[in-house]
Amino acid sequence: RGMKILLQKEFLLFLAIFSGFSASVCAQNNQAVIVKAISDGDAHELVKYFHTMVNLAIPGSEGVYNRNQSEALLQKFFSQNEVLSFKVKHEGRSNEGTRFLIGRMNCPTKIYNLYYLMKEMEGKYWIIQFQLEPFEE
């Protein structure tokens, strides 16, 4: 009986470690897909990684929006600002486990700083904050 309880505890520990590990691997895989969506100016693909409500700040719009609203606003932005290139400048995570990415997006008439923040919820990493602002030299 003691051995059975010990095995159950070890199994639960394994599950706890593995679920954290798989969420972390999933976040890293999502990062590549998100960066590609940004590079392609693909709002539809990008918002798949947005949580149900996102703090969105882009030129002309700032507030908390749902996925449909976010997609419409980003689609409008990308239609007016073709993405020529996107380069990741820095990425990391906090001690609390939130992940962030800072990048620079080149468009024909302007350069933008891009920032997003991801948080693990429901076993998956979601973008909870997304910002685009003109780069000032």
Side-chain angles (χ1 to χ4, degrees):
R1 176 157 168 85
M3 184 64 151
K4 185 176 180 182
I5 291 171
L6 182 62
L7 287 174
Q8 287 173 338
K9 285 182 180 178
E10 286 179 359
F11 180 71
L12 290 174
L13 179 63
F14 169 78
L15 282 179
I17 292 170
F18 181 76
S19 65
F21 174 75
S22 64
S24 178
V25 168
C26 188
Q28 289 170 346
N29 291 342
N30 288 350
Q31 202 93 300
V33 176
I34 292 166
V35 166
K36 181 173 180 355
I38 293 167
S39 298
D40 294 345
D42 187 346
H44 182 71
E45 185 64 28
L46 179 59
V47 299
K48 289 178 181 177
Y49 300 92
F50 280 23
H51 197 254
T52 53
M53 299 300 285
V54 173
N55 185 338
L56 181 70
I58 61 175
S61 301
E62 188 170 333
V64 178
Y65 301 101
N66 66 33
R67 280 192 198 114
N68 290 339
Q69 293 167 320
S70 297
E71 183 175 355
L73 291 167
L74 285 166
Q75 189 59 50
K76 180 181 177 190
F77 176 85
F78 286 135
S79 71
Q80 297 169 348
N81 298 276
E82 177 192 2
V83 180
L84 299 175
S85 66
F86 178 69
K87 184 167 181 88
V88 175
K89 294 291 187 183
H90 189 68
E91 58 185 308
R93 69 177 181 202
S94 72
N95 291 337
E96 295 81 41
T98 55
R99 295 178 174 273
F100 67 90
L101 180 137
I102 299 168
R104 180 114 357 109
M105 188 170 69
N106 292 304
C107 298
T109 59
K110 275 196 175 141
I111 298 170
Y112 293 92
N113 284 326
L114 185 145
Y115 165 85
Y116 70 77
L117 184 66
M118 296 180 92
K119 185 174 182 182
E120 185 182 1
M121 292 177 278
E122 301 110 28
K124 182 177 174 183
Y125 276 88
W126 296 99
I127 294 174
I128 58 169
Q129 185 176 351
F130 189 92
Q131 290 178 242
L132 268 170
E133 55 189 37
F135 172 68
E136 305 291 331
E137 290 192 60

mmCIF file of all heavy atoms in Angstrom, residues 68-116:
data_model
loop_
_atom_site.group_PDB
_atom_site.id
_atom_site.type_symbol
_atom_site.label_atom_id
_atom_site.label_comp_id
_atom_site.label_asym_id
_atom_site.label_seq_id
_atom_site.Cartn_x
_atom_site.Cartn_y
_atom_site.Cartn_z
ATOM 1 N N ASN A 68 -12.172 39.391 -32.202
ATOM 2 C CA ASN A 68 -12.741 39.908 -33.452
ATOM 3 C C ASN A 68 -12.408 41.388 -33.640
ATOM 4 O O ASN A 68 -12.035 41.812 -34.741
ATOM 5 C CB ASN A 68 -14.253 39.701 -33.490
ATOM 6 C CG ASN A 68 -14.634 38.244 -33.641
ATOM 7 O OD1 ASN A 68 -13.829 37.423 -34.105
ATOM 8 N ND2 ASN A 68 -15.840 37.895 -33.245
ATOM 9 N N GLN A 69 -12.556 42.174 -32.584
ATOM 10 C CA GLN A 69 -12.230 43.591 -32.663
ATOM 11 C C GLN A 69 -10.732 43.779 -32.935
ATOM 12 O O GLN A 69 -10.350 44.607 -33.773
ATOM 13 C CB GLN A 69 -12.604 44.299 -31.355
ATOM 14 C CG GLN A 69 -14.091 44.354 -31.081
ATOM 15 C CD GLN A 69 -14.384 44.767 -29.637
ATOM 16 O OE1 GLN A 69 -13.703 44.346 -28.699
ATOM 17 N NE2 GLN A 69 -15.405 45.598 -29.465
ATOM 18 N N SER A 70 -9.907 43.000 -32.244
ATOM 19 C CA SER A 70 -8.455 43.086 -32.426
ATOM 20 C C SER A 70 -8.074 42.748 -33.858
ATOM 21 O O SER A 70 -7.242 43.426 -34.468
ATOM 22 C CB SER A 70 -7.729 42.134 -31.468
ATOM 23 O OG SER A 70 -7.958 42.491 -30.135
ATOM 24 N N GLU A 71 -8.686 41.702 -34.395
ATOM 25 C CA GLU A 71 -8.374 41.310 -35.770
ATOM 26 C C GLU A 71 -8.737 42.421 -36.747
ATOM 27 O O GLU A 71 -7.950 42.751 -37.642
ATOM 28 C CB GLU A 71 -9.109 40.024 -36.153
ATOM 29 C CG GLU A 71 -8.759 39.556 -37.552
ATOM 30 C CD GLU A 71 -9.375 38.212 -37.935
ATOM 31 O OE1 GLU A 71 -10.013 37.574 -37.078
ATOM 32 O OE2 GLU A 71 -9.202 37.821 -39.103
ATOM 33 N N ALA A 72 -9.901 43.028 -36.580
ATOM 34 C CA ALA A 72 -10.332 44.109 -37.482
ATOM 35 C C ALA A 72 -9.372 45.298 -37.401
ATOM 36 O O ALA A 72 -8.978 45.865 -38.434
ATOM 37 C CB ALA A 72 -11.759 44.541 -37.141
ATOM 38 N N LEU A 73 -8.979 45.672 -36.184
ATOM 39 C CA LEU A 73 -8.063 46.804 -36.015
ATOM 40 C C LEU A 73 -6.686 46.505 -36.591
ATOM 41 O O LEU A 73 -6.080 47.352 -37.259
ATOM 42 C CB LEU A 73 -7.959 47.176 -34.525
ATOM 43 C CG LEU A 73 -9.226 47.782 -33.915
ATOM 44 C CD1 LEU A 73 -9.118 47.812 -32.398
ATOM 45 C CD2 LEU A 73 -9.486 49.174 -34.476
ATOM 46 N N LEU A 74 -6.188 45.301 -36.345
ATOM 47 C CA LEU A 74 -4.870 44.926 -36.881
ATOM 48 C C LEU A 74 -4.906 44.781 -38.401
ATOM 49 O O LEU A 74 -3.958 45.160 -39.088
ATOM 50 C CB LEU A 74 -4.373 43.640 -36.223
ATOM 51 C CG LEU A 74 -3.865 43.812 -34.796
ATOM 52 C CD1 LEU A 74 -3.719 42.465 -34.108
ATOM 53 C CD2 LEU A 74 -2.543 44.566 -34.772
ATOM 54 N N GLN A 75 -6.008 44.246 -38.922
ATOM 55 C CA GLN A 75 -6.134 44.111 -40.372
ATOM 56 C C GLN A 75 -6.086 45.482 -41.035
ATOM 57 O O GLN A 75 -5.413 45.664 -42.050
ATOM 58 C CB GLN A 75 -7.449 43.384 -40.727
ATOM 59 C CG GLN A 75 -7.557 43.017 -42.188
ATOM 60 C CD GLN A 75 -6.423 42.106 -42.635
ATOM 61 O OE1 GLN A 75 -6.132 41.103 -42.012
ATOM 62 N NE2 GLN A 75 -5.756 42.473 -43.707
ATOM 63 N N LYS A 76 -6.789 46.436 -40.439
ATOM 64 C CA LYS A 76 -6.773 47.808 -40.965
ATOM 65 C C LYS A 76 -5.359 48.377 -40.907
ATOM 66 O O LYS A 76 -4.874 48.974 -41.873
ATOM 67 C CB LYS A 76 -7.741 48.683 -40.168
ATOM 68 C CG LYS A 76 -7.795 50.110 -40.651
ATOM 69 C CD LYS A 76 -8.755 50.935 -39.816
ATOM 70 C CE LYS A 76 -8.743 52.380 -40.281
ATOM 71 N NZ LYS A 76 -9.469 53.258 -39.373
ATOM 72 N N PHE A 77 -4.686 48.181 -39.764
ATOM 73 C CA PHE A 77 -3.315 48.680 -39.621
ATOM 74 C C PHE A 77 -2.404 48.059 -40.684
ATOM 75 O O PHE A 77 -1.665 48.767 -41.363
ATOM 76 C CB PHE A 77 -2.769 48.388 -38.215
ATOM 77 C CG PHE A 77 -1.326 48.793 -38.073
ATOM 78 C CD1 PHE A 77 -0.993 50.094 -37.749
ATOM 79 C CD2 PHE A 77 -0.309 47.869 -38.289
ATOM 80 C CE1 PHE A 77 0.345 50.480 -37.647
ATOM 81 C CE2 PHE A 77 1.018 48.241 -38.188
ATOM 82 C CZ PHE A 77 1.353 49.551 -37.865
ATOM 83 N N PHE A 78 -2.444 46.720 -40.822
ATOM 84 C CA PHE A 78 -1.566 46.043 -41.778
ATOM 85 C C PHE A 78 -1.899 46.415 -43.221
ATOM 86 O O PHE A 78 -1.014 46.444 -44.068
ATOM 87 C CB PHE A 78 -1.622 44.526 -41.584
ATOM 88 C CG PHE A 78 -0.891 44.023 -40.357
ATOM 89 C CD1 PHE A 78 -1.470 43.078 -39.526
ATOM 90 C CD2 PHE A 78 0.380 44.485 -40.036
ATOM 91 C CE1 PHE A 78 -0.798 42.604 -38.404
ATOM 92 C CE2 PHE A 78 1.058 44.018 -38.912
ATOM 93 C CZ PHE A 78 0.471 43.074 -38.100
ATOM 94 N N SER A 79 -3.157 46.700 -43.520
ATOM 95 C CA SER A 79 -3.512 47.092 -44.893
ATOM 96 C C SER A 79 -2.944 48.480 -45.225
ATOM 97 O O SER A 79 -2.672 48.776 -46.387
ATOM 98 C CB SER A 79 -5.025 47.061 -45.102
ATOM 99 O OG SER A 79 -5.643 48.116 -44.399
ATOM 100 N N GLN A 80 -2.738 49.302 -44.210
ATOM 101 C CA GLN A 80 -2.182 50.643 -44.412
ATOM 102 C C GLN A 80 -0.672 50.684 -44.213
ATOM 103 O O GLN A 80 -0.025 51.676 -44.549
ATOM 104 C CB GLN A 80 -2.845 51.645 -43.445
ATOM 105 C CG GLN A 80 -4.329 51.801 -43.687
ATOM 106 C CD GLN A 80 -5.025 52.577 -42.573
ATOM 107 O OE1 GLN A 80 -4.456 52.819 -41.509
ATOM 108 N NE2 GLN A 80 -6.271 52.949 -42.818
ATOM 109 N N ASN A 81 -0.116 49.632 -43.631
ATOM 110 C CA ASN A 81 1.312 49.575 -43.315
ATOM 111 C C ASN A 81 1.864 48.205 -43.691
ATOM 112 O O ASN A 81 1.933 47.310 -42.840
ATOM 113 C CB ASN A 81 1.536 49.818 -41.815
ATOM 114 C CG ASN A 81 1.079 51.177 -41.364
ATOM 115 O OD1 ASN A 81 1.804 52.154 -41.488
ATOM 116 N ND2 ASN A 81 -0.137 51.264 -40.844
ATOM 117 N N GLU A 82 2.247 48.055 -44.930
ATOM 118 C CA GLU A 82 2.817 46.777 -45.374
ATOM 119 C C GLU A 82 4.089 46.491 -44.578
ATOM 120 O O GLU A 82 4.947 47.364 -44.414
ATOM 121 C CB GLU A 82 3.154 46.859 -46.864
ATOM 122 C CG GLU A 82 3.822 45.615 -47.401
ATOM 123 C CD GLU A 82 4.408 45.802 -48.794
ATOM 124 O OE1 GLU A 82 4.327 46.909 -49.340
ATOM 125 O OE2 GLU A 82 4.947 44.815 -49.305
ATOM 126 N N VAL A 83 4.203 45.283 -44.083
ATOM 127 C CA VAL A 83 5.391 44.900 -43.311
ATOM 128 C C VAL A 83 6.484 44.487 -44.290
ATOM 129 O O VAL A 83 6.344 43.509 -45.017
ATOM 130 C CB VAL A 83 5.077 43.748 -42.325
ATOM 131 C CG1 VAL A 83 6.332 43.380 -41.534
ATOM 132 C CG2 VAL A 83 3.939 44.128 -41.395
ATOM 133 N N LEU A 84 7.564 45.270 -44.287
ATOM 134 C CA LEU A 84 8.709 44.932 -45.136
ATOM 135 C C LEU A 84 9.624 43.942 -44.429
ATOM 136 O O LEU A 84 10.176 43.046 -45.050
ATOM 137 C CB LEU A 84 9.489 46.205 -45.502
ATOM 138 C CG LEU A 84 8.709 47.264 -46.279
ATOM 139 C CD1 LEU A 84 9.564 48.508 -46.469
ATOM 140 C CD2 LEU A 84 8.237 46.711 -47.612
ATOM 141 N N SER A 85 9.783 44.123 -43.108
ATOM 142 C CA SER A 85 10.591 43.199 -42.322
ATOM 143 C C SER A 85 10.231 43.339 -40.853
ATOM 144 O O SER A 85 9.725 44.373 -40.423
ATOM 145 C CB SER A 85 12.089 43.461 -42.520
ATOM 146 O OG SER A 85 12.443 44.729 -41.993
ATOM 147 N N PHE A 86 10.491 42.272 -40.115
ATOM 148 C CA PHE A 86 10.292 42.288 -38.664
ATOM 149 C C PHE A 86 11.467 41.576 -38.032
ATOM 150 O O PHE A 86 11.824 40.472 -38.432
ATOM 151 C CB PHE A 86 8.983 41.602 -38.269
ATOM 152 C CG PHE A 86 8.777 41.558 -36.784
ATOM 153 C CD1 PHE A 86 8.517 42.714 -36.077
ATOM 154 C CD2 PHE A 86 8.868 40.366 -36.089
ATOM 155 C CE1 PHE A 86 8.355 42.694 -34.691
ATOM 156 C CE2 PHE A 86 8.701 40.322 -34.715
ATOM 157 C CZ PHE A 86 8.441 41.495 -34.013
ATOM 158 N N LYS A 87 12.089 42.227 -37.049
ATOM 159 C CA LYS A 87 13.256 41.653 -36.387
ATOM 160 C C LYS A 87 13.017 41.650 -34.880
ATOM 161 O O LYS A 87 12.661 42.667 -34.296
ATOM 162 C CB LYS A 87 14.497 42.475 -36.720
ATOM 163 C CG LYS A 87 15.767 41.894 -36.161
ATOM 164 C CD LYS A 87 16.981 42.564 -36.776
ATOM 165 C CE LYS A 87 18.250 41.991 -36.247
ATOM 166 N NZ LYS A 87 18.743 40.851 -36.972
ATOM 167 N N VAL A 88 13.221 40.491 -34.267
ATOM 168 C CA VAL A 88 13.113 40.360 -32.821
ATOM 169 C C VAL A 88 14.358 40.989 -32.200
ATOM 170 O O VAL A 88 15.480 40.634 -32.553
ATOM 171 C CB VAL A 88 12.984 38.880 -32.391
ATOM 172 C CG1 VAL A 88 13.003 38.750 -30.875
ATOM 173 C CG2 VAL A 88 11.729 38.261 -32.980
ATOM 174 N N LYS A 89 14.150 41.926 -31.290
ATOM 175 C CA LYS A 89 15.262 42.596 -30.607
ATOM 176 C C LYS A 89 15.566 41.950 -29.264
ATOM 177 O O LYS A 89 16.707 41.867 -28.852
ATOM 178 C CB LYS A 89 14.948 44.086 -30.395
ATOM 179 C CG LYS A 89 14.861 44.874 -31.691
ATOM 180 C CD LYS A 89 16.216 44.967 -32.317
ATOM 181 C CE LYS A 89 16.231 45.869 -33.520
ATOM 182 N NZ LYS A 89 17.519 45.905 -34.177
ATOM 183 N N HIS A 90 14.517 41.521 -28.574
ATOM 184 C CA HIS A 90 14.714 40.927 -27.249
ATOM 185 C C HIS A 90 13.493 40.100 -26.893
ATOM 186 O O HIS A 90 12.373 40.480 -27.228
ATOM 187 C CB HIS A 90 14.927 42.031 -26.208
ATOM 188 C CG HIS A 90 15.336 41.519 -24.867
ATOM 189 N ND1 HIS A 90 16.559 40.934 -24.627
ATOM 190 C CD2 HIS A 90 14.684 41.500 -23.685
ATOM 191 C CE1 HIS A 90 16.636 40.583 -23.363
ATOM 192 N NE2 HIS A 90 15.512 40.910 -22.765
ATOM 193 N N GLU A 91 13.711 38.997 -26.230
ATOM 194 C CA GLU A 91 12.605 38.210 -25.706
ATOM 195 C C GLU A 91 13.047 37.577 -24.398
ATOM 196 O O GLU A 91 14.231 37.372 -24.166
ATOM 197 C CB GLU A 91 12.113 37.170 -26.708
ATOM 198 C CG GLU A 91 13.134 36.177 -27.195
ATOM 199 C CD GLU A 91 12.571 35.273 -28.274
ATOM 200 O OE1 GLU A 91 11.513 34.673 -28.065
ATOM 201 O OE2 GLU A 91 13.212 35.162 -29.328
ATOM 202 N N GLY A 92 12.084 37.309 -23.544
ATOM 203 C CA GLY A 92 12.429 36.725 -22.263
ATOM 204 C C GLY A 92 11.189 36.417 -21.458
ATOM 205 O O GLY A 92 10.069 36.429 -21.979
ATOM 206 N N ARG A 93 11.409 36.161 -20.177
ATOM 207 C CA ARG A 93 10.273 35.901 -19.302
ATOM 208 C C ARG A 93 10.579 36.384 -17.901
ATOM 209 O O ARG A 93 11.733 36.456 -17.493
ATOM 210 C CB ARG A 93 9.859 34.455 -19.329
ATOM 211 C CG ARG A 93 10.800 33.478 -18.716
ATOM 212 C CD ARG A 93 10.156 32.112 -18.796
ATOM 213 N NE ARG A 93 11.018 31.130 -18.181
ATOM 214 C CZ ARG A 93 10.959 29.868 -18.453
ATOM 215 N NH1 ARG A 93 10.078 29.424 -19.320
ATOM 216 N NH2 ARG A 93 11.751 29.024 -17.863
ATOM 217 N N SER A 94 9.510 36.690 -17.202
ATOM 218 C CA SER A 94 9.644 37.187 -15.832
ATOM 219 C C SER A 94 9.716 36.011 -14.872
ATOM 220 O O SER A 94 9.477 34.863 -15.248
ATOM 221 C CB SER A 94 8.437 38.059 -15.484
ATOM 222 O OG SER A 94 7.286 37.246 -15.324
ATOM 223 N N ASN A 95 10.003 36.313 -13.615
ATOM 224 C CA ASN A 95 10.030 35.269 -12.584
ATOM 225 C C ASN A 95 8.640 34.659 -12.401
ATOM 226 O O ASN A 95 8.520 33.516 -11.979
ATOM 227 C CB ASN A 95 10.519 35.849 -11.253
ATOM 228 C CG ASN A 95 11.982 36.228 -11.313
ATOM 229 O OD1 ASN A 95 12.732 35.715 -12.133
ATOM 230 N ND2 ASN A 95 12.387 37.146 -10.466
ATOM 231 N N GLU A 96 7.593 35.419 -12.713
ATOM 232 C CA GLU A 96 6.219 34.916 -12.581
ATOM 233 C C GLU A 96 5.817 34.041 -13.776
ATOM 234 O O GLU A 96 4.725 33.495 -13.796
ATOM 235 C CB GLU A 96 5.226 36.074 -12.444
ATOM 236 C CG GLU A 96 5.382 36.890 -11.180
ATOM 237 C CD GLU A 96 6.506 37.930 -11.288
ATOM 238 O OE1 GLU A 96 6.636 38.555 -12.349
ATOM 239 O OE2 GLU A 96 7.248 38.082 -10.311
ATOM 240 N N GLY A 97 6.672 33.963 -14.799
ATOM 241 C CA GLY A 97 6.388 33.097 -15.935
ATOM 242 C C GLY A 97 5.775 33.787 -17.135
ATOM 243 O O GLY A 97 5.533 33.149 -18.151
ATOM 244 N N THR A 98 5.509 35.091 -17.050
ATOM 245 C CA THR A 98 5.007 35.772 -18.241
ATOM 246 C C THR A 98 6.154 35.892 -19.240
ATOM 247 O O THR A 98 7.314 36.009 -18.858
ATOM 248 C CB THR A 98 4.436 37.173 -17.917
ATOM 249 O OG1 THR A 98 5.433 37.930 -17.249
ATOM 250 C CG2 THR A 98 3.187 37.093 -17.083
ATOM 251 N N ARG A 99 5.816 35.843 -20.506
ATOM 252 C CA ARG A 99 6.807 35.941 -21.573
ATOM 253 C C ARG A 99 6.581 37.240 -22.332
ATOM 254 O O ARG A 99 5.454 37.689 -22.458
ATOM 255 C CB ARG A 99 6.670 34.766 -22.540
ATOM 256 C CG ARG A 99 6.973 33.439 -21.896
ATOM 257 C CD ARG A 99 6.771 32.295 -22.880
ATOM 258 N NE ARG A 99 7.207 31.061 -22.286
ATOM 259 C CZ ARG A 99 8.460 30.607 -22.334
ATOM 260 N NH1 ARG A 99 9.381 31.272 -22.975
ATOM 261 N NH2 ARG A 99 8.777 29.482 -21.740
ATOM 262 N N PHE A 100 7.675 37.789 -22.835
ATOM 263 C CA PHE A 100 7.541 39.018 -23.611
ATOM 264 C C PHE A 100 8.453 38.967 -24.824
ATOM 265 O O PHE A 100 9.415 38.193 -24.872
ATOM 266 C CB PHE A 100 7.865 40.247 -22.748
ATOM 267 C CG PHE A 100 9.306 40.323 -22.326
ATOM 268 C CD1 PHE A 100 10.245 40.978 -23.110
ATOM 269 C CD2 PHE A 100 9.725 39.729 -21.142
ATOM 270 C CE1 PHE A 100 11.584 41.038 -22.717
ATOM 271 C CE2 PHE A 100 11.053 39.786 -20.738
ATOM 272 C CZ PHE A 100 11.984 40.441 -21.535
ATOM 273 N N LEU A 101 8.117 39.799 -25.797
ATOM 274 C CA LEU A 101 8.923 39.927 -26.996
ATOM 275 C C LEU A 101 8.924 41.400 -27.384
ATOM 276 O O LEU A 101 7.886 42.058 -27.327
ATOM 277 C CB LEU A 101 8.356 39.083 -28.132
ATOM 278 C CG LEU A 101 9.146 39.153 -29.440
ATOM 279 C CD1 LEU A 101 9.294 37.778 -30.037
ATOM 280 C CD2 LEU A 101 8.493 40.094 -30.415
ATOM 281 N N ILE A 102 10.089 41.893 -27.762
ATOM 282 C CA ILE A 102 10.245 43.254 -28.261
ATOM 283 C C ILE A 102 10.869 43.141 -29.635
ATOM 284 O O ILE A 102 11.855 42.414 -29.821
ATOM 285 C CB ILE A 102 11.148 44.088 -27.328
ATOM 286 C CG1 ILE A 102 10.529 44.172 -25.937
ATOM 287 C CG2 ILE A 102 11.387 45.482 -27.914
ATOM 288 C CD1 ILE A 102 11.465 44.716 -24.876
ATOM 289 N N GLY A 103 10.295 43.830 -30.602
ATOM 290 C CA GLY A 103 10.822 43.756 -31.957
ATOM 291 C C GLY A 103 10.702 45.069 -32.686
ATOM 292 O O GLY A 103 10.093 46.028 -32.207
ATOM 293 N N ARG A 104 11.277 45.113 -33.878
ATOM 294 C CA ARG A 104 11.233 46.296 -34.722
ATOM 295 C C ARG A 104 10.649 45.892 -36.066
ATOM 296 O O ARG A 104 11.100 44.943 -36.699
ATOM 297 C CB ARG A 104 12.636 46.855 -34.882
ATOM 298 C CG ARG A 104 12.713 48.059 -35.719
ATOM 299 C CD ARG A 104 13.112 49.384 -35.099
ATOM 300 N NE ARG A 104 13.368 49.515 -33.699
ATOM 301 C CZ ARG A 104 14.566 49.714 -33.156
ATOM 302 N NH1 ARG A 104 15.653 49.748 -33.902
ATOM 303 N NH2 ARG A 104 14.695 49.886 -31.860
ATOM 304 N N MET A 105 9.608 46.617 -36.469
ATOM 305 C CA MET A 105 8.896 46.325 -37.709
ATOM 306 C C MET A 105 9.103 47.477 -38.692
ATOM 307 O O MET A 105 8.818 48.629 -38.371
ATOM 308 C CB MET A 105 7.398 46.157 -37.399
ATOM 309 C CG MET A 105 6.603 45.671 -38.557
ATOM 310 S SD MET A 105 4.921 45.225 -38.058
ATOM 311 C CE MET A 105 4.247 46.825 -37.683
ATOM 312 N N ASN A 106 9.627 47.143 -39.867
ATOM 313 C CA ASN A 106 9.853 48.138 -40.905
ATOM 314 C C ASN A 106 8.708 48.125 -41.906
ATOM 315 O O ASN A 106 8.363 47.072 -42.452
ATOM 316 C CB ASN A 106 11.169 47.863 -41.644
ATOM 317 C CG ASN A 106 12.365 48.084 -40.753
ATOM 318 O OD1 ASN A 106 12.532 49.156 -40.188
ATOM 319 N ND2 ASN A 106 13.187 47.061 -40.613
ATOM 320 N N CYS A 107 8.136 49.301 -42.124
ATOM 321 C CA CYS A 107 7.074 49.503 -43.111
ATOM 322 C C CYS A 107 7.571 50.563 -44.099
ATOM 323 O O CYS A 107 8.556 51.239 -43.820
ATOM 324 C CB CYS A 107 5.790 49.956 -42.415
ATOM 325 S SG CYS A 107 5.163 48.722 -41.241
ATOM 326 N N PRO A 108 6.903 50.727 -45.245
ATOM 327 C CA PRO A 108 7.414 51.669 -46.255
ATOM 328 C C PRO A 108 7.614 53.104 -45.757
ATOM 329 O O PRO A 108 8.581 53.754 -46.139
ATOM 330 C CB PRO A 108 6.354 51.624 -47.362
ATOM 331 C CG PRO A 108 5.756 50.270 -47.229
ATOM 332 C CD PRO A 108 5.760 49.973 -45.746
ATOM 333 N N THR A 109 6.722 53.603 -44.901
ATOM 334 C CA THR A 109 6.829 55.003 -44.495
ATOM 335 C C THR A 109 7.266 55.194 -43.046
ATOM 336 O O THR A 109 7.623 56.304 -42.662
ATOM 337 C CB THR A 109 5.486 55.743 -44.698
ATOM 338 O OG1 THR A 109 4.479 55.081 -43.929
ATOM 339 C CG2 THR A 109 5.099 55.766 -46.165
ATOM 340 N N LYS A 110 7.229 54.134 -42.243
ATOM 341 C CA LYS A 110 7.578 54.255 -40.829
ATOM 342 C C LYS A 110 8.205 52.974 -40.314
ATOM 343 O O LYS A 110 8.015 51.900 -40.871
ATOM 344 C CB LYS A 110 6.327 54.535 -39.985
ATOM 345 C CG LYS A 110 5.947 55.971 -39.908
ATOM 346 C CD LYS A 110 4.984 56.198 -38.765
ATOM 347 C CE LYS A 110 4.732 57.677 -38.667
ATOM 348 N NZ LYS A 110 3.413 58.063 -38.365
ATOM 349 N N ILE A 111 8.906 53.129 -39.205
ATOM 350 C CA ILE A 111 9.429 51.989 -38.456
ATOM 351 C C ILE A 111 8.674 51.964 -37.132
ATOM 352 O O ILE A 111 8.421 53.016 -36.532
ATOM 353 C CB ILE A 111 10.949 52.131 -38.215
ATOM 354 C CG1 ILE A 111 11.696 52.169 -39.554
ATOM 355 C CG2 ILE A 111 11.468 50.990 -37.347
ATOM 356 C CD1 ILE A 111 13.162 52.534 -39.430
ATOM 357 N N TYR A 112 8.290 50.770 -36.685
ATOM 358 C CA TYR A 112 7.523 50.631 -35.450
ATOM 359 C C TYR A 112 8.249 49.738 -34.462
ATOM 360 O O TYR A 112 8.859 48.738 -34.847
ATOM 361 C CB TYR A 112 6.146 50.017 -35.733
ATOM 362 C CG TYR A 112 5.254 50.910 -36.534
ATOM 363 C CD1 TYR A 112 5.216 50.824 -37.924
ATOM 364 C CD2 TYR A 112 4.431 51.849 -35.916
ATOM 365 C CE1 TYR A 112 4.401 51.649 -38.670
ATOM 366 C CE2 TYR A 112 3.603 52.684 -36.658
ATOM 367 C CZ TYR A 112 3.596 52.577 -38.032
ATOM 368 O OH TYR A 112 2.780 53.399 -38.779
ATOM 369 N N ASN A 113 8.142 50.101 -33.194
ATOM 370 C CA ASN A 113 8.532 49.202 -32.111
ATOM 371 C C ASN A 113 7.306 48.359 -31.795
ATOM 372 O O ASN A 113 6.182 48.881 -31.739
ATOM 373 C CB ASN A 113 8.940 49.977 -30.857
ATOM 374 C CG ASN A 113 10.311 50.583 -30.994
ATOM 375 O OD1 ASN A 113 11.187 50.021 -31.622
ATOM 376 N ND2 ASN A 113 10.504 51.746 -30.410
ATOM 377 N N LEU A 114 7.511 47.073 -31.615
ATOM 378 C CA LEU A 114 6.425 46.154 -31.308
ATOM 379 C C LEU A 114 6.752 45.446 -30.005
ATOM 380 O O LEU A 114 7.902 45.073 -29.769
ATOM 381 C CB LEU A 114 6.271 45.147 -32.450
ATOM 382 C CG LEU A 114 5.098 44.185 -32.340
ATOM 383 C CD1 LEU A 114 4.547 43.901 -33.722
ATOM 384 C CD2 LEU A 114 5.476 42.894 -31.657
ATOM 385 N N TYR A 115 5.740 45.307 -29.182
ATOM 386 C CA TYR A 115 5.911 44.653 -27.890
ATOM 387 C C TYR A 115 4.692 43.800 -27.620
ATOM 388 O O TYR A 115 3.570 44.238 -27.874
ATOM 389 C CB TYR A 115 6.045 45.720 -26.798
ATOM 390 C CG TYR A 115 5.884 45.224 -25.385
ATOM 391 C CD1 TYR A 115 6.956 44.684 -24.688
ATOM 392 C CD2 TYR A 115 4.655 45.294 -24.743
ATOM 393 C CE1 TYR A 115 6.803 44.230 -23.390
ATOM 394 C CE2 TYR A 115 4.499 44.844 -23.443
ATOM 395 C CZ TYR A 115 5.570 44.312 -22.771
ATOM 396 O OH TYR A 115 5.414 43.854 -21.504
ATOM 397 N N TYR A 116 4.899 42.569 -27.171
ATOM 398 C CA TYR A 116 3.757 41.811 -26.669
ATOM 399 C C TYR A 116 4.137 41.013 -25.437
ATOM 400 O O TYR A 116 5.296 40.713 -25.188
ATOM 401 C CB TYR A 116 3.088 40.947 -27.740
ATOM 402 C CG TYR A 116 3.844 39.755 -28.253
ATOM 403 C CD1 TYR A 116 3.946 38.582 -27.522
ATOM 404 C CD2 TYR A 116 4.394 39.773 -29.530
ATOM 405 C CE1 TYR A 116 4.608 37.478 -28.027
ATOM 406 C CE2 TYR A 116 5.050 38.672 -30.048
ATOM 407 C CZ TYR A 116 5.150 37.533 -29.282
ATOM 408 O OH TYR A 116 5.804 36.444 -29.785
#
